[in-house]
Amino acid sequence: MARYGILTSGGDCPGLNAVIRGTVLQGTTVHGQEFVGFRDGYRGLVYGDIRPLNRLAVRGISRNGGTILGTSRFGPYSEPDGGPENIKKVLERLEIDGVIAIGGDGTMAAANRLYEDGIPMVGVPKTIDNDLEATDFTFGFSTAVEIATDAADRLRTTGDSHQRCMVLEVMGRHAGWIAIYAGVASGAHVTLIPEAPETLDQICRWVTEAAERGRGPLVMVAEGFTLPEMDDAYSDKGLDEFDRPRLGGIGEILAPLIQERTGIQTRATTLGYIQRGGVPTAFDRVLGTRFGQAISDVLADGDWGQMVALRGTQIERVPFTDAVGHTKSVPLDFYRGARALFG
Ligand code: F6P
């Protein structure tokens, strides 16, 4: 019986457990496959740290956030113990015929490199940021948008009561998908995304217009947004394990600037990890389950080097290289449409 290992890597994301469950159920009932889980992302693969994954182990997990396997930003090539030769030995010793990597851009890049180095790898794309080019949507995004929209709705009531400008910072390193969706959904008066720098003057004009109608203006800002005079996205937290600046804090930078220019009392809230945690929406559970089932079919066909993707309403297979290094930005016409309603 063919036996496969599943790992979840990178930032956690609502819907990961639905993928694990979908894979195990489809694999065991339709294809007669067996599964184990690698603990904590690529670390589990490099050190052969596994746990059994049978039908019982995945019972009822789709409704839970996080990942039952644990995750990390451990790179399979970055440690002396890593690398393809070591991993081949681990897989041989544990009698594992192939690996499913569930993760974002960094995870898929590592999976592709391992695949090119002769390891049988397949992938499932994941990120709350929804910024992977290969797929129309990633699971986790819908949950993050719901949470951000709820937070915005709550900020609007307190902002209206105090006639304050409320700035809400959401995640979105390279792309402003969460911000634009939650901004449109909550009727934010300004939404700022990495793809479209806006001047402080313009932002303050919109804020003032909204305030003049007697509203507490709401400014939604993605963490990767930059003012025209900024070289890079705001970061004061050092680097992460992939040597990327840890973002967060642009809302706190903007709030005093807006207050100073407009004279309107302004408060900032950073939503942070709340938008990655908790119960996944039904959409994310369904997409995760479908991705999981589809990746089990990919294994059954021995279609290595492929990942699953949502194209329209269909689940398709695409090579890793379609996802790696290609950021899916918010289209400018989408932004322009939202921008027409700012102020
Ligand atoms: O999953 C992507 C993301 O949500 C980014 O928007 C954010 O910059 C990053 O994760 C932060 O996560 P961590 O602190 O776990 O690296």
Side-chain angles (χ1 to χ4, degrees), residues 100-111:
I100 304 170
I102 311 172
D105 191 40
T107 303
M108 291 305 143

Side-chain angles (χ1 to χ4, degrees), residues 10-13 73 126-129 131 170-175 178 223 240-241 244-248 272-273 275-276:
D12 74 326
C13 183
R73 295 198 192 277
K126 159 247 67 159
T127 165
I128 64 162
D129 292 347
D131 61 356
V170 296
M171 283 185 173
R173 169 174 286 274
H174 304 295
I178 297 175
E223 62 183 356
D240 68 12
E241 295 93 322
R244 300 177 313 177
R246 290 183 54 213
L247 302 189
Y273 295 93
Q275 65 211 289
R276 251 170 43 186

Side-chain angles (χ1 to χ4, degrees), residues 111-291:
N112 187 45
R113 193 167 161 198
L114 288 170
Y115 166 65
E116 285 174 349
D117 283 338
I119 314 269
M121 301 288 303
V122 295
V124 177
K126 159 247 67 159
T127 165
I128 64 162
D129 292 347
N130 197 41
D131 61 356
L132 281 181
E133 182 63 63
T135 181
D136 288 353
F137 285 100
T138 44
F139 60 86
F141 172 62
S142 153
T143 306
V145 168
E146 289 299 324
I147 294 168
T149 303
D150 178 64
D153 292 345
R154 289 170 192 278
L155 288 175
R156 286 199 64 171
T157 63
T158 169
D160 280 348
S161 305
H162 288 266
Q163 294 276 295
R164 278 178 179 154
C165 173
M166 305 303 277
V167 177
L168 175 59
E169 179 186 311
V170 296
M171 283 185 173
R173 169 174 286 274
H174 304 295
W177 288 102
I178 297 175
I180 199 83
Y181 265 72
V184 170
S186 63
H189 301 97
V190 183
T191 298
L192 303 169
I193 61 174
E195 294 89 333
E198 299 281 2
T199 63
L200 187 60
D201 277 350
Q202 178 61 72
I203 295 167
C204 290
R205 269 200 296 278
W206 284 319
V207 165
T208 306
E209 276 169 34
E212 280 171 0
R213 291 198 309 276
R215 310 308 303 260
L218 176 71
V219 177
M220 179 80 68
V221 59
E223 62 183 356
F225 170 76
T226 53
L227 291 164
E229 58 271 25
M230 291 166 66
D231 290 335
D232 292 305
Y234 182 76
S235 165
D236 61 4
K237 299 179 180 67
L239 303 177
D240 68 12
E241 295 93 322
F242 290 162
D243 284 339
R244 300 177 313 177
R246 290 183 54 213
L247 302 189
I250 182 68
E252 292 285 357
I253 298 292
L254 284 175
L257 296 174
I258 292 171
Q259 176 162 315
E260 195 184 297
R261 289 263 177 128
T262 61
I264 300 166
Q265 214 179 50
T266 304
R267 299 280 196 265
T269 301
T270 303
L271 199 51
Y273 295 93
I274 287 171
Q275 65 211 289
R276 251 170 43 186
V279 175
T281 59
F283 181 91
D284 285 337
R285 297 184 210 183
V286 172
L287 183 57
T289 304
R290 292 181 73 201
F291 273 174

Side-chain angles (χ1 to χ4, degrees), residues 328-343:
K328 182 179 66 193
S329 304
V330 174
L332 279 185
D333 60 341
F334 186 172
Y335 178 71
R336 277 193 216 107
R339 191 178 190 270
L341 305 182
F342 291 175

